Amino acid sequence: MNTIELNRFIVILIYGSLVLLSLLKLANPLKVNRKANLWFGLFLFLWSTYWLDEIWSLIKVSPIEIHSILFVQFVQFFTPIMFYFSVLFFTNPSFKFKRSDVKYAVLPVIFLINLLLQRYGNFENQSFFEFTFIGLILFQAVFYTGLSYFTIRKHQKRIQQFSANTEGINLNWLEYIILILLIINIVYVIYNLFYDSTSLNAFINIAFLLVVYFVAYYSLKQKEIYPVEEKQRDELISINDEAENEEIKRKLISDEELSRLKTKLENVMEKEKLYLDSELNLIKLAEHLSVSTHHLSYVINTGFQKNFFQFINEYRIEHAKKLLKNNDANKLSILGIAFESGFNSKTSFNTTFKKFTDQTPSEFKK
């Protein structure tokens, strides 16, 4: 098998994998993150169209170039927007489009006008429209990719307000996709400028195929990020929005009530060791204390100057330290100690332990 044949085989795998994955995300058999998966499925389908030309050339039924069809060019322009919308709904499933969101249509309308003028306008200087065509594609891709990246980073801070185990809901895999695709495209552009692009084509497509498999694995195992019950979900999102707004300094409860709830919370944590429950979140803890999630979040944020993640995991790390120091506990592996301390995986245990102590559990034990 020569390089050309290998590249054709890889292209078939990429296109087939993306179409199949897009159908799986649109069908969403597990019924999780419904709106996010809808937009993500549309994104994957549009992404697959970038290999349609090569697929079409393998069929050899006609000399038509798919990428030159106006409708296809216009629809492909929405690819980064679909990705951004999926990120919006992953990070906020209660998000609703408003009239002001018509702004998302501005660039596509400009792009369509440019396409029509380029295709049907009788202008001598066609290079201007070609330059605008490429510029709009690059600008939109960079803009929405960057916006998606910062939305994910913001989300990773927000979920610490209500969850002590953020692994599986932190959307790290989406962040990695953005960074990996950025690196691949930079390499491809540089190589096109200075070297023969055909010799690199197979290797670039292999890299894209690996990214597609990475996307398939992590997107299909993505958990529901927020509670399915709408009332609880909206409560948590509103808490997050308030925590992000630095201008909100209003007191939710009196200083006396704050002090009382602080003491009650400390007693419950020390005596009942609720932090050992790996599924503990803000809602469960609030129900146990018979207080609202808003009040509990206020007590942790204001009374202890911490978020929920920091508050719970400090207790867990201290418990883990005792187990690591205790000779009787040496029979437990690091994973065993992680589970005994309320963590749900060795990875989250190692990451959190190092974050709080600047050491891994193994280094601390030595």
Side-chain angles (χ1 to χ4, degrees):
M1 182 183 288
N2 58 36
T3 305
I4 294 175
E5 291 173 337
L6 174 64
N7 187 52
R8 288 173 178 172
F9 177 65
I10 297 299
V11 165
I12 292 170
L13 288 178
I14 291 174
Y15 182 73
S17 299
L18 281 173
V19 171
L20 175 60
L21 183 58
S22 69
L23 291 175
L24 286 173
K25 300 306 289 181
L26 290 170
N28 195 6
L30 296 179
K31 307 301 179 188
V32 295
N33 303 303
R34 297 192 181 203
K35 292 179 181 178
N37 278 325
L38 171 65
W39 291 105
F40 196 71
L42 292 174
F43 155 71
L44 291 170
F45 185 78
L46 292 183
W47 191 21
S48 72
T49 63
Y50 285 90
W51 283 271
L52 262 180
D53 271 334
E54 293 174 86
I55 293 294
W56 197 259
S57 68
L58 295 175
I59 301 173
K60 295 180 179 177
V61 292
S62 75
I64 297 174
E65 292 184 344
I66 302 296
H67 79 274
S68 64
I69 300 174
L70 187 143
F71 175 74
V72 173
Q73 289 179 324
F74 180 61
V75 169
Q76 283 180 336
F77 189 72
F78 285 88
T79 306
I81 301 179
M82 296 297 104
F83 181 77
Y84 175 63
F85 285 170
S86 72
V87 170
L88 273 183
F89 282 103
F90 270 124
T91 58
N92 182 2
S94 296
F95 176 81
K96 290 180 175 63
F97 288 106
K98 304 180 289 291
R99 287 184 180 178
S100 59
D101 292 325
V102 72
K103 60 181 179 285
Y104 295 122
V106 173
L107 283 177
V109 168
I110 295 173
F111 183 75
L112 180 60
I113 292 170
N114 183 75
L115 270 178
L116 293 172
L117 291 174
Q118 184 182 1
R119 188 68 58 89
Y120 302 111
N122 188 18
F123 300 97
E124 292 182 4
N125 187 12
Q126 286 293 320
S127 59
F128 169 79
F129 296 105
E130 291 173 5
F131 176 79
T132 306
F133 174 85
I134 296 170
L136 284 169
I137 291 174
L138 289 175
F139 175 78
Q140 170 148 285
V142 171
F143 177 76
Y144 281 109
T145 301
L147 205 56
S148 299
Y149 179 81
F150 288 113
T151 302
I152 294 166
R153 298 292 291 179
K154 189 177 179 181
H155 166 77
Q156 290 166 343
K157 292 180 180 178
R158 292 175 68 181
I159 56 176
Q160 292 188 2
Q161 290 292 338
F162 68 86
S163 178
N165 279 326
T166 58
E167 189 180 32
I169 63 171
N170 54 21
L171 298 177
N172 277 350
W173 62 277
L174 280 173
E175 187 180 0
Y176 296 150
I177 288 171
I178 292 171
L179 295 175
I180 292 168
L181 289 177
L182 181 63
I183 292 169
I184 292 174
N185 283 303
I186 289 173
V187 170
Y188 188 64
V189 169
I190 292 174
Y191 205 95
N192 272 338
L193 290 174
F194 299 103
Y195 303 98
D196 177 21
S197 62
T198 55
S199 63
L200 183 70
N201 211 19
F203 299 103
I204 288 293
N205 279 330
I206 289 172
F208 274 119
L209 181 62
L210 294 175
V211 172
V212 170
Y213 288 157
F214 176 89
V215 171
Y217 176 76
Y218 284 100
S219 65
L220 291 174
K221 67 177 287 193
Q222 176 63 54
K223 299 177 183 177
E224 186 77 54
I225 297 173
Y226 287 90
V228 178
E229 190 181 326
E230 189 174 357
K231 183 180 178 183
Q232 291 183 340
R233 184 177 68 221
D234 291 343
E235 266 188 34
L236 293 180
I237 291 171
S238 66
I239 289 170
N240 291 333
D241 290 339
E242 288 177 7
E244 288 167 11
N245 192 342
E246 293 296 329
E247 294 179 2
I248 296 178
K249 300 294 183 184
R250 61 189 177 89
K251 285 185 178 182
L252 290 183
I253 54 178
S254 65
D255 291 339
E256 292 77 13
E257 181 66 4
L258 175 63
S259 179
R260 186 187 71 81
L261 286 177
K262 272 185 66 179
T263 303
K264 184 179 180 180
L265 180 56
E266 287 175 327
N267 289 336
V268 165
M269 297 303 290
E270 289 169 8
K271 292 177 182 178
E272 300 183 37
K273 301 185 186 302
L274 296 179
Y275 53 86
L276 297 181
D277 177 8
S278 62
E279 300 300 320
L280 183 68
N281 57 29
L282 186 71
I283 293 172
K284 288 179 72 173
L285 185 56
E287 288 175 350
H288 187 85
L289 293 170
S290 300
V291 297
S292 71
T293 52
H294 277 267
H295 285 179
L296 179 57
S297 181
Y298 179 82
V299 170
I300 294 172
N301 295 161
T302 307
F304 294 95
Q305 298 296 309
K306 297 168 188 172
N307 58 38
F308 184 80
F309 178 88
Q310 294 166 331
F311 179 76
I312 297 300
N313 282 311
E314 278 189 4
Y315 280 101
R316 288 176 175 170
I317 295 301
E318 288 304 314
H319 185 80
K321 283 180 179 179
K322 291 175 184 176
L323 292 180
L324 289 166
K325 289 177 182 177
N326 190 346
N327 290 329
D328 294 335
N330 283 339
K331 59 185 178 182
L332 285 174
S333 64
I334 296 296
L335 180 59
I337 291 174
F339 289 148
E340 287 288 321
S341 303
F343 293 93
N344 54 15
S345 75
K346 187 176 180 179
T347 304
S348 63
F349 177 49
N350 285 335
T351 304
T352 308
F353 196 95
K354 190 170 179 66
K355 184 176 181 179
F356 280 86
T357 66
D358 292 325
Q359 289 179 301
T360 64
S362 300
E363 290 169 346
F364 179 85
K365 187 173 183 178
K366 290 178 182 177

